[in-house]
Amino acid sequence: MAVVGKFWLKVTPFLGLALMLLSSCAAPVSLYQKVPAKQLLWPPQSAGPRIAWVRTISNSEDAGITKGFWMRALEILIGKDPHRIVRPHGVLFDASERLYIADTAAGLVHCMDTREGSYTLIGAKAGSPLRSPIGLAEDGQGRLYITDSTAGALFRQAKAGDPLQHIPIRGLQRPTGIVYSHFNGFIYVVDTIASQIIALDSEGKERYRFGSYGAGLGEFNRPTDIAVDPKGQLYVTDALNYKIRMFTATGVPLSDFGQAGDAAGDLDKPKGVAVDSEGHIYVSDALLDSIQVFDAAGHLLISFGSPGSGDGNLWMPSGLYIDARDYIFVSDTYNHRIQVFRYMAGEKLRPAVLPAPSDKARPAAPGAVSPPATEKQ
């Protein structure tokens, strides 16, 4: 009896841990189904269209994915969260409700399947070609594309669990932004150093490229991201010219807007760009710690987010993605998380009334200083 008593004294703590972990398991809840516990709106009081905060995702559990027994036990024993997001950049939420996050510092891509309740890492195994993944896109066949700025390469994963396939592109230097166009089935890749956009077909073959270094219409000085609207029109963040450039699907320049500065409607360090179902243009600005929304003429319609680390706050935001339901996914880079917002449509958004321009506005110049090494794109 004494032996049995000692045995139960030894195993009881582990049984308690096991029961605690098992009791925490639950069926996954779709991101669309979860109702936020608090309401954050921009503007805070308005009967018309506005932006609502939905949730903050710092790890897989925040995405509604319950960790397995052994993963939770390991976390309790070692005091670390293996699912933690380190430095997110590109973000993608596909039609199957899988959330992909390009983690540049970790050198991998997080994949959180919010419908099935599973979590995987792309590029975590030894020998992975990923070094600093930046951009993400998914084509009409469900294939995942990943740009890696440090490796200077584009990779494709045919389906979940498959090895990454390198897609060779002539003269590719620093690929960053990437987008898939349902309009023509092309993948567009931003080469930041070459100041070019490269269009690839469904086989990964180059069809054409456009852009060159400069400050004029259709030219770039460190482009960082690209978006497409339902009509196939392209939008590119031209970081060191402080502009958003607009092109046809074939790369013909249409127009642009933006000026350097830190006042409402100015661009200070534009990183990401996305377009919602109504054609509004969203721009993330890493130095303004906000997302600004413009119309095609460049009029500021609304902005949301503010410096800080609470829900709805941002610290050097980068990648943007807007899904078919107008859910807005923001890589809140230096807060190590993804913030999810939603555009609540209503009557047409109208241009905002802006204050006088800031005297800190900087003129755009093709010879502007390059981003510091720690902020490479």
Side-chain angles (χ1 to χ4, degrees), residues 26 43 106 118 127 152 167 217 262 276:
S118 62
I167 299 178
L217 182 65
D262 58 4
D276 69 19

Side-chain angles (χ1 to χ4, degrees), residues 16-17 23 62 80 91 112 124 163 232 244 282 286 291 301 311 337 358 377:
L17 173 63
S23 65
D62 291 337
K80 295 182 180 180
V91 59
M112 304 178 186
I244 302 299
Y282 296 65
I291 311 298
L301 303 175
D311 292 330
R337 62 190 186 178
S358 168
Q377 289 253 344

